[in-house]
Amino acid sequence: MAKSNFFTVAKLKSLPPGKHCDGQGLWLFKRKDGGAQWTFRFSLFGRQREMGLGSYPLLSLAEARKAAHDVRRIVANGDDPIKIKRRQRNHASAQEGRFHVLAYAAFEAHRSTLKHEGSDGMWFSPIKNHLLPHLGMMPVVKIDQHDIKQALSRGWETSPVTAKKALSRLKVILSYAIAEGFDVNLGIIDQARILLGAPRHTVTHIAALDWAEASAFYQSLGELAPAELALRMLMLTGVRSDAVNNMRLEQITKDIWTVPVEHVKGRKGFTKPFRVPLSNEVLRVIDLARAIEQNGHLFPNSRGGPLNKMSMRNYMVERGLEARPHGFRSTLRTWLSERTECAREVAEACLGHFAVNDVEDAYNRADYLERRKPYLADWASYLIGGGCKNATD
């Protein structure tokens, strides 16, 4: 290794392109275009590291030696100068450290765990609607519990479910900021929750049709229009609207409908295709839908694509009903509880609800397909006005 203080000012100017050592870890990398960069090499915890100090001649030889001396002292204390420099840069950079920049960066880092990788906007919308208007331009290190309270106060009263989601997303963003080296205290989230208090707004659940009225409604549906056939499928199977809207012929194998992962509610990596047993009435509805099928879509829109997500809802609104399509899941679940002896885990499986946590899911792989069949067949029989073998008096 070259001796310490190998360079002179005159020698620096005559150095050829390449890497040259001044000693004790200080190097100069000279480029072919005439530019040059000071770097410092060091070893910490058994790892060889290299960090930039600045460009030459903006950073003179004397200044580079002083900078190397300062870094050398940091390493001697067992600290990583690269991490310290990163934190200092983040804190000094108003643009890099602003909340809106970190919010989008955290979303990009997190999106692989989200359904559709967050492309539907559902994960980011609480951030966009509740947090960015108030906190977006603030440096993340300056945000405190009072700022969070001010941002969420209105939503905490008018739309508490969404506001709580915003608070949950905020924790993800602040955790990401900490990982990036920003001096952020996660405790401000709990402090903000205390300041916000309990929401006084009553949460309104999606209106559902009473199971006693479901049969009459089902029998009133037509057998030609996509929205009405889709509603039949929705009521019969208890799945979510997204799955019905995007139902395709190739998803059906005999009397089983396999709903693809992308149309099963849940986070990416924690979901799997959902098998739905098809009763005779469901198969009849599928046969009716074949007459209007376009491009593989059983319930097409006017352009041959999947049914618009508002079509079934709009139909029910036009009928003057307060109930909404998603409410039919509640209708089915209530009927199973009140009119059958269906076990809880099987009833929940009819709605696509399985293990309550990741550990249980890792061991219990059952989807209760065979046990679901008779109950969904009875539900179909009830809807069309027939008897129910497994129903109680």
Side-chain angles (χ1 to χ4, degrees):
M1 181 176 181
K3 66 179 182 179
S4 180
N5 297 339
F6 176 75
F7 297 146
T8 64
V9 174
K11 188 175 183 66
L12 283 179
K13 297 179 180 178
S14 62
L15 288 174
K19 294 184 177 181
H20 309 277
C21 183
D22 184 52
Q24 298 188 63
L26 179 62
W27 287 74
L28 181 72
F29 173 53
K30 201 164 188 181
R31 302 189 302 272
K32 292 182 180 180
D33 62 6
Q37 179 75 26
W38 292 107
T39 63
F40 181 76
R41 295 179 182 178
F42 62 95
S43 176
L44 183 66
F45 307 129
R47 297 174 58 199
Q48 296 297 318
R49 310 293 301 279
E50 183 174 4
M51 69 177 291
L53 299 178
S55 60
Y56 174 80
L58 290 177
L59 192 70
S60 68
L61 175 60
E63 291 170 333
R65 284 173 176 166
K66 182 180 184 306
H69 173 72
D70 293 341
V71 174
R72 206 175 291 119
R73 292 181 62 182
I74 294 173
V75 174
N77 288 331
D79 296 321
D80 189 336
I82 295 177
K83 291 182 179 180
I84 292 174
K85 182 179 180 181
R86 184 185 300 124
R87 286 197 295 268
Q88 291 172 342
R89 183 184 68 245
N90 286 343
H91 292 176
S93 172
Q95 180 61 30
E96 209 172 311
R98 291 191 188 277
F99 179 78
H100 75 94
V101 175
L102 288 163
Y104 284 104
F107 169 62
E108 289 299 325
H110 188 63
R111 69 186 306 165
S112 64
T113 68
L114 305 175
K115 182 180 179 181
H116 305 314
E117 295 193 344
S119 61
D120 56 7
M122 297 296 290
W123 192 87
F124 200 79
S125 61
I127 300 170
K128 182 178 179 181
N129 295 332
H130 290 273
L131 300 178
L132 292 186
H134 300 275
L135 308 178
M137 297 305 294
M138 290 185 66
V140 70
V141 295
K142 293 186 178 296
I143 295 174
D144 62 20
Q145 63 270 29
H146 300 288
D147 299 314
I148 299 171
K149 177 190 175 185
Q150 184 179 11
L152 294 178
S153 287
R154 183 178 179 184
W156 206 252
E157 299 299 328
T158 60
S159 52
V161 173
T162 306
K164 288 180 180 179
K165 288 181 180 179
L167 198 61
S168 174
R169 310 291 198 265
L170 178 61
K171 186 174 183 179
V172 174
I173 297 168
L174 295 187
S175 297
Y176 178 86
I178 292 172
E180 281 287 343
F182 291 94
D183 187 14
V184 175
N185 177 17
L186 279 180
I188 62 176
I189 294 178
D190 289 333
Q191 294 166 11
R193 188 179 281 111
I194 292 172
L195 293 176
L196 286 163
R200 289 189 292 272
H201 179 75
T202 303
V203 178
T204 303
H205 296 287
I206 296 175
L209 198 67
D210 189 284
W211 65 262
E213 302 173 5
S215 178
F217 177 76
Y218 182 84
Q219 294 176 56
S220 73
L221 293 170
E223 298 186 344
L224 295 175
E228 293 179 82
L229 286 175
L231 275 168
R232 286 180 179 272
M233 182 63 64
L234 191 77
M235 294 181 69
L236 288 163
T237 59
V239 300
R240 292 179 173 84
S241 298
D242 183 56
V244 173
N245 291 337
N246 291 276
M247 190 174 184
R248 297 180 59 85
L249 286 172
E250 62 265 24
Q251 298 169 4
I252 303 164
T253 303
K254 296 182 179 179
D255 62 347
I256 301 295
W257 171 24
T258 303
V259 180
V261 170
E262 59 266 27
H263 300 304
V264 176
K265 185 177 181 180
R267 295 175 296 170
K268 183 178 179 181
F270 293 86
T271 58
K272 47 195 169 186
F274 177 46
R275 297 191 300 169
V276 181
L278 305 180
S279 64
N280 289 334
E281 175 63 9
V282 175
L283 294 174
R284 187 184 77 85
V285 172
I286 290 173
D287 284 338
L288 291 172
R290 289 178 188 275
I292 61 170
E293 171 268 326
Q294 292 187 51
N295 302 319
H297 296 288
L298 277 173
F299 313 111
N301 60 28
S302 58
R303 297 182 299 278
L307 190 66
N308 185 283
K309 63 181 181 180
M310 299 298 289
S311 293
M312 287 188 280
R313 179 188 182 279
N314 291 342
Y315 173 83
M316 296 184 73
V317 170
E318 291 170 2
R319 289 273 303 260
L321 298 170
E322 292 185 6
R324 296 294 177 258
H326 191 77
F328 285 121
R329 289 167 56 79
S330 176
T331 305
L332 169 59
R333 184 64 179 84
T334 305
W335 180 84
L336 287 169
S337 294
E338 295 188 358
R339 299 294 295 169
T340 77
E341 298 295 336
C342 184
R344 181 184 181 280
E345 65 272 16
V346 178
E348 286 296 302
C350 286
L351 303 183
H353 298 161
F354 294 102
V356 295
N357 57 59
D358 296 341
V359 174
E360 184 177 337
D361 186 52
Y363 292 95
N364 184 4
R365 307 296 177 86
D367 68 356
Y368 305 104
L369 179 70
E370 293 302 321
R371 293 177 65 185
R372 281 186 278 142
K373 280 185 178 180
Y375 291 106
L376 287 176
D378 268 4
W379 171 240
S381 181
Y382 167 73
L383 289 178
I384 63 177
C388 302
K389 294 179 182 179
N390 296 286
T392 59
D393 293 332

